[in-house]
Amino acid sequence: MKQAFIFDVFGTLVDWRTGVATQLQSAFEVRSLSIDPLAFADHWRALYDPAMDKIRSGNRGYVRLEILHRENLDETLRAFGVGDDFDHHAREDLNSAWERLPPWPDVHVGMARLRSFGFLAPCSNASIAMSVRLARYADFRWDAIGGAELAKDYKPSSSVYLAAAKAFALPPERVVMVAAHNGDLAAARQAGLRTAFFPRATEYGPGQRTDLVADGDWDFVAADLPDLAKKIEACS
């Protein structure tokens, strides 16, 4: 095959907010804690970009995402005043929630259709270990595992997208970055990749205001993943 499709994962392929909150709810109920699991998940996720910014800016060396998630979890537990309720083992289990997330309903059908037109791989900020475990849980049939760990950096640094293209021995213009996030696609295009957008209108909950429509002249704009596969087929 002479092209590849690389995917953002959190938000684009999996419903991280519902998935994490569901697992938090179980942990809170066992401890009789009255905490809104969605609010906790949102707070935890809000620490994601600031933690990666320290690495992207060069103020901290690269560490895998699960380490950042664990540090952010500790901070979130303190913020909600329940740090004493979770020992080391319980925190490790909560942290692994990011490896047990449900795929959006259209994902398997869409990926199966796209497989005919190119290699498939994640281009996620998750580590290789996280991506492998999540793929097993969500039944993602990848041809390879790529992402931030190959580049020792985090999106939207161009090195992450270019590392994915290099791993497939393909020039950037033969690689399509697929994401429900306009900023991700803008960075991929800057690195020379082609781009494909479809929205996930409830990734951040019913009040979401961003990434509802394409805000760039992306190579492909679709309603969902199967619709993207249809558009790719029409161009093949």
Side-chain angles (χ1 to χ4, degrees), residues 6-8 123 155 161 175-179 184-185 188 194-196:
I6 61 174
F7 294 79
D8 173 67
C123 186
K155 296 188 299 178
Y161 309 99
V175 179
V176 181
M177 180 67 201
V178 182
D184 205 349
L185 297 181
R194 289 185 293 158
T195 53

Side-chain angles (χ1 to χ4, degrees), residues 27-103:
F28 294 158
E29 287 178 351
V30 165
R31 294 166 176 81
S32 299
L33 298 174
S34 298
I35 298 173
D36 180 351
L38 289 170
F40 192 102
D42 288 340
H43 189 282
W44 193 359
R45 175 73 176 196
L47 301 176
Y48 177 75
D49 269 321
M52 291 188 297
D53 277 342
K54 295 176 184 177
I55 294 167
R56 288 187 288 243
S57 67
N59 291 324
R60 181 180 184 181
Y62 175 79
V63 296
R64 297 188 307 276
L65 184 61
E66 57 264 43
I67 295 173
L68 298 183
H69 273 323
R70 174 54 196 277
E71 293 170 355
N72 294 340
L73 172 61
D74 291 344
E75 184 174 338
T76 304
L77 288 170
R78 287 194 296 271
F80 279 76
V82 292
D84 292 340
D85 293 276
F86 292 86
D87 61 15
H88 173 80
H89 177 77
R91 292 177 188 224
E92 290 294 302
D93 186 59
L94 279 184
N95 204 43
S96 67
W98 294 93
E99 300 169 358
R100 300 186 298 268
L101 300 174

